[in-house]
Amino acid sequence: MSRTTMRDVAREAGVSIATVSRVVNGVDAVAESTRRRVLEAIRRLNYSPNLVAKSLVHRGTRNVALFVPDIMNPFFPAIARGVADAVASEGYTVVLCNTDDSTEPGPHFERLLRGNFVDGAILCGTAWDAAPLSELIPADLPVVVMDRRVPGLRADSVEIDNRLGGLMATRHLLDVGCRRILHLGGPVGVSTAEGRLAGYLEALCSGAADERDAAEADSDLITRGPFRAESGYSRTRAALESGLSFDGIFAANDLLALGALQALRQFGRRVPEDVAVIGFDDIYMAALALPPLSTVAQPTYRLGTIAGRMLMDRLDRSASPAQPPAHPQPEPKRVVLEPSLRIRESTRRERVQGSEEE
Amino acid sequence: MSRTTMRDVAREAGVSIATVSRVVNGVDAVAESTRRRVLEAIRRLNYSPNLVAKSLVHRGTRNVALFVPDIMNPFFPAIARGVADAVASEGYTVVLCNTDDSTEPGPHFERLLRGNFVDGAILCGTAWDAAPLSELIPADLPVVVMDRRVPGLRADSVEIDNRLGGLMATRHLLDVGCRRILHLGGPVGVSTAEGRLAGYLEALCSGAADERDAAEADSDLITRGPFRAESGYSRTRAALESGLSFDGIFAANDLLALGALQALRQFGRRVPEDVAVIGFDDIYMAALALPPLSTVAQPTYRLGTIAGRMLMDRLDRSASPAQPPAHPQPEPKRVVLEPSLRIRESTRRERVQGSEEE
DNA sequence: TTGTAAGCGTTATCAA
DNA sequence: TTGATAACGCTTACAA
């Protein structure tokens, strides 16, 4: 009834369990004849080693945990795939957990990380504070944070330059002639949202210094809320109904922008003629939108592979016996990638002035 | 340096390791005073139990494996989420593996299923044969198959009625006046693709019996190939270039349909006026396409939750000590869901005759 | 109510 | 080249 074990194989082959272990792992050197006998017994019994037992001895499952807010959100599958591919090359598999934007690590986190079920973890887009995290994460378990930052957490991180992205988006809108740009911002306190807003403000301020008629940085033009399409829809609708005037929208992500597009269409505003719209992320729906949505692209798959690699590096290091004497753990690494502008129909209109940029 | 164990807690609290186990698991009854001492020691030492060791004793990790072709394919995230939610309610987590349409189970499969790293598995859209699978899958490890069927494998399964879906799609096209319907089929031998094609043929044959001018079932109108957008594009383009005449397209999935839309646009064919197009799956991009794509919707999230639940049921059963005497394992269950027609712009034109169906 | 000790299925050390 | 045997961290009879 139960699965066959090494003991069974040993009995079948008439050798000790230690010898079976040796041939299974290919260590030590076994006489060719016994080796053959053992292999034969393994085949006959259809044996395969129990990795849980192995993990107990080695103190390492070859699993890593990946936490994302929601795998159904089109931003995350490519990241998940990137991580999976990166770690698969070292024989690791990924345990996927949806956090649903919970404000603190849940039971899954506890179970996996503290229960030794994974050797490392990647936190993507989580909204958890550094304090509870640092307390919960075992000292010997490497973690890499991506997308959102977790200020104060001592961990490797990968992200894009969100400020720069916000700057690029807003400058582009200014370039195509927008003067009053509505910002559909992300949640307050979330690093990605804050960065994009900072870029927006920076573009507006430096823009005003130009000779061109100053674009306005009006606090009425800034709204904050969840990164969801409905929120983009309702906030744009509210702006439209309140009679607020604006000729451009910079949405902090594509979902928000898609919602905005819908509201605009409903109110008979033409895009890009009446209002130009740009989003952030470049999820594939962006290219398919009506009209196709300009956006600031993130290299999601690559972000995933980088995070995966960083984790593998830490794992290799902690596995190697030779600890450098100075720091037991090297300083956290931080990689910041540059986003890139993807211009499509939603902002394509004749330039107001100069500034060639294709 | 190493993680704190029960032994440490026992020493700290001045009790035996068995007692610590008792209070951690809340069994047996411990004197309130010692219980408090143990709890206090746990807190001081920041102890949490090692689940790998626990799994070894209990012969069960609370993990299940989910195999999908590619989590980046928009059809799968909702399934993954459905599975995750269903199993999370019983304290299970999911290990995600991308199979990339490999023709046989890879090392991950071996590792996870045979290495006792998961208690069960869900195979979604895999293209593996029953023979290697049944040999590889341990007898005591429940598996549920979804999306594609694996003929000959003794396992629970969840799927939609693909033949019915093909029938509905084709009938709808006939209803809006199409007479020569190009079928962009999926790969040969894949159950979903075969089912949809069968429905297409059935609709055409029964349609011809009507008094209405017979729709043609021309073998030139049937193409087969991978479920990918590029394939839909190139096959449609080839049909267009060869001068083949058709006034409707039934694509075996949305990705194929999206590709077809692109080719049609490039050749100046109007959709739906010149050719009506319908897809299959209802991935969210479908609604955002240009024009919005009619399609046969699959309840993906629900498919996932059902598969997850089926697996949980098997797991509960195998955990319970009371084995029914007759069959050690009850017969495989099979649930087949009905797809539903989602009509959008890509087929919206005046009906040719009767057949109200909104 | 508590402790001792025998597993769970491996690996690894030490003798033989 | 092989075999005992003590871990790995926990659960669970069985005794006390």
Side-chain angles (χ1 to χ4, degrees):
Chain A
M1 206 79 281
S2 189
R3 239 110 126 176
T4 108
T5 78
M6 260 190 181
R7 195 186 248 53
D8 301 323
V9 176
R11 191 180 308 116
E12 174 84 6
V15 297
S16 84
I17 158 178
T19 300
V20 178
S21 174
R22 284 191 264 260
V23 349
V24 166
N25 296 294
V27 297
D28 269 10
V30 206
E32 186 53 29
S33 61
T34 55
R35 177 189 153 70
R36 227 194 284 289
R37 277 218 315 292
V38 171
L39 253 18
E40 178 57 22
I42 287 177
R43 213 193 44 67
R44 264 204 306 278
L45 267 38
N46 190 21
Y47 164 80
S48 37
N50 183 327
L51 298 183
V52 176
K54 213 168 186 156
S55 296
L56 185 56
V57 175
H58 285 145
R59 290 139 153 171
T61 62
R62 304 207 126 212
N63 293 139
V64 302
L66 171 63
F67 292 84
V68 296
D70 179 8
I71 193 67
M72 290 178 70
N73 178 327
F75 180 67
F76 298 107
I79 290 184
R81 186 67 211 258
V83 169
D85 288 352
V87 305
S89 67
E90 312 249 345
Y92 284 75
T93 49
V94 0
V95 180
L96 181 71
C97 296
N98 299 102
T99 65
D100 279 320
D101 284 314
S102 59
T103 52
E104 52 184 48
H108 275 313
F109 189 89
E110 181 98 18
R111 211 177 92 73
L112 293 173
L113 298 229
R114 299 183 59 90
N116 297 53
F117 243 127
V118 297
D119 299 348
I122 295 177
L123 270 34
C124 179
T126 59
W128 302 327
D129 286 335
L133 276 179
S134 351
E135 194 171 338
L136 241 32
I137 299 172
D140 58 352
L141 191 140
V143 165
V144 1
V145 174
M146 61 186 297
D147 186 37
R148 298 188 188 175
R149 225 175 314 143
V150 181
L153 186 68
R154 213 165 173 289
D156 292 340
S157 64
V158 204
E159 69 203 297
I160 60 147
D161 189 335
N162 287 290
R163 189 203 50 80
L164 177 59
L167 188 68
M168 289 162 65
T170 312
R171 281 221 177 116
H172 171 63
L173 251 17
L174 292 171
D175 283 342
V176 299
C178 298
R179 282 303 164 265
R180 288 185 54 84
I181 302 174
L182 181 63
H183 178 53
L184 265 22
V188 174
V190 170
S191 70
T192 52
E194 300 299 351
R196 292 164 201 184
L197 171 58
Y200 164 84
L201 292 172
E202 189 176 329
L204 255 27
C205 294
S206 65
D210 279 24
E211 65 271 31
R212 52 183 150 194
D213 49 342
E216 301 169 45
D218 184 340
S219 68
D220 285 355
L221 288 171
I222 297 175
T223 72
R224 307 293 298 266
F227 275 135
R228 306 233 313 283
E230 306 80 70
S231 177
Y233 171 79
S234 59
R235 283 193 259 160
T236 306
R237 195 190 153 100
L240 254 10
E241 282 171 341
S242 75
L244 189 69
S245 104
F246 57 90
D247 52 7
I249 295 183
F250 165 40
N253 85 351
D254 288 343
L255 257 13
L256 286 168
L258 259 15
L261 248 26
Q262 200 189 338
L264 255 12
R265 189 159 46 235
Q266 207 167 91
F267 277 71
R269 294 294 205 286
R270 292 168 310 163
V271 176
E273 296 83 351
D274 299 332
V275 10
V277 178
I278 189 167
F280 208 111
D281 286 352
D282 196 26
I283 59 180
Y284 28 61
M285 296 146 95
L288 298 168
L290 213 74
L293 183 69
S294 294
T295 191
V296 178
Q298 297 202 50
T300 41
Y301 179 82
R302 206 152 79 82
L303 284 169
T305 57
I306 292 176
R309 270 254 46 93
M310 286 177 112
L311 196 55
M312 293 298 96
D313 286 350
R314 292 283 175 187
L315 256 19
D316 287 350
R317 200 178 318 283
S318 66
S320 78
Q323 289 286 7
H327 274 292
Q329 295 292 1
E331 283 303 301
K333 282 187 184 44
R334 171 143 176 244
V335 357
V336 179
L337 263 36
E338 287 201 2
S340 56
L341 214 47
R342 197 87 86 225
I343 299 175
R344 302 204 181 91
E345 304 311 319
S346 72
T347 59
R348 196 160 277 153
R349 53 191 202 187
E350 61 293 351
R351 295 274 153 64
V352 160
Q353 55 185 28
S355 185
E356 207 52 59
E357 117 179 48
E358 176 46 17
Chain B
M1 205 81 282
S2 188
R3 239 111 125 179
T4 107
T5 78
M6 261 189 178
R7 197 188 246 50
D8 301 323
V9 176
R11 191 181 307 118
E12 174 84 7
V15 298
S16 83
I17 160 179
T19 299
V20 177
S21 173
R22 285 191 263 260
V23 349
V24 166
N25 297 294
V27 296
D28 268 10
V30 217
E32 185 53 29
S33 60
T34 57
R35 176 189 155 71
R36 226 193 284 289
R37 277 219 314 291
V38 171
L39 254 18
E40 177 56 24
I42 287 177
R43 212 193 45 66
R44 265 204 306 276
L45 266 38
N46 191 22
Y47 164 81
S48 37
N50 183 327
L51 298 185
V52 175
K54 213 166 185 156
S55 296
L56 186 55
V57 175
H58 285 144
R59 296 152 150 145
T61 62
R62 304 207 127 214
N63 293 139
V64 301
L66 171 63
F67 292 83
V68 296
D70 179 8
I71 193 67
M72 288 177 71
N73 177 325
F75 180 68
F76 297 107
I79 289 184
R81 186 68 211 257
V83 170
D85 287 352
V87 304
S89 68
E90 311 249 344
Y92 284 76
T93 49
V94 0
V95 181
L96 182 70
C97 296
N98 299 101
T99 66
D100 278 321
D101 284 314
S102 60
T103 53
E104 52 184 48
H108 274 315
F109 188 89
E110 181 97 20
R111 212 177 90 73
L112 293 173
L113 298 230
R114 299 183 57 90
N116 299 53
F117 243 128
V118 297
D119 300 346
I122 295 177
L123 270 33
C124 179
T126 59
W128 302 329
D129 286 336
L133 276 178
S134 347
E135 195 172 337
L136 241 33
I137 299 172
D140 58 350
L141 191 140
V143 165
V144 1
V145 174
M146 62 187 297
D147 187 33
R148 297 186 190 177
R149 225 175 312 145
V150 181
L153 186 68
R154 212 165 175 291
D156 292 341
S157 64
V158 205
E159 69 203 297
I160 61 146
D161 188 336
N162 287 290
R163 188 202 50 81
L164 178 59
L167 188 68
M168 289 161 66
T170 312
R171 283 222 177 116
H172 171 63
L173 251 20
L174 291 172
D175 282 342
V176 300
C178 298
R179 283 301 164 267
R180 287 185 55 84
I181 301 173
L182 181 64
H183 178 53
L184 265 22
V188 174
V190 171
S191 70
T192 51
E194 299 300 351
R196 291 164 202 183
L197 171 58
Y200 164 83
L201 292 172
E202 189 176 329
L204 254 28
C205 294
S206 66
D210 278 26
E211 65 270 31
R212 52 181 152 196
D213 49 343
E216 300 169 45
D218 184 342
S219 68
D220 285 356
L221 289 170
I222 298 176
T223 73
R224 307 292 298 265
F227 275 135
R228 308 233 313 283
E230 305 83 70
S231 177
Y233 171 79
S234 59
R235 283 193 260 160
T236 306
R237 194 189 154 101
L240 254 9
E241 282 171 342
S242 74
L244 189 69
S245 103
F246 57 90
D247 52 7
I249 295 182
F250 165 40
N253 85 351
D254 288 343
L255 256 14
L256 287 169
L258 259 14
L261 248 25
Q262 199 189 338
L264 256 11
R265 188 159 47 235
Q266 208 166 91
F267 277 71
R269 295 292 204 287
R270 293 168 309 162
V271 177
E273 295 83 351
D274 300 332
V275 9
V277 178
I278 189 166
F280 208 110
D281 286 352
D282 196 26
I283 59 180
Y284 27 61
M285 297 146 95
L288 298 168
L290 214 71
L293 183 69
S294 293
T295 192
V296 178
Q298 296 202 50
T300 41
Y301 179 82
R302 206 154 77 83
L303 284 169
T305 57
I306 292 177
R309 270 254 47 92
M310 286 178 112
L311 196 56
M312 293 299 96
D313 286 349
R314 292 281 177 189
L315 257 18
D316 287 350
R317 202 177 317 284
S318 68
S320 78
Q323 288 287 8
H327 275 294
Q329 295 292 359
E331 283 303 302
K333 284 187 183 44
R334 170 145 176 244
V335 357
V336 179
L337 263 36
E338 287 201 2
S340 57
L341 212 48
R342 198 86 86 223
I343 300 176
R344 301 204 181 91
E345 304 311 318
S346 72
T347 60
R348 193 159 279 152
R349 54 192 201 187
E350 62 294 349
R351 296 274 152 64
V352 160
Q353 54 186 29
S355 186
E356 207 53 58
E357 114 180 51
E358 177 44 19

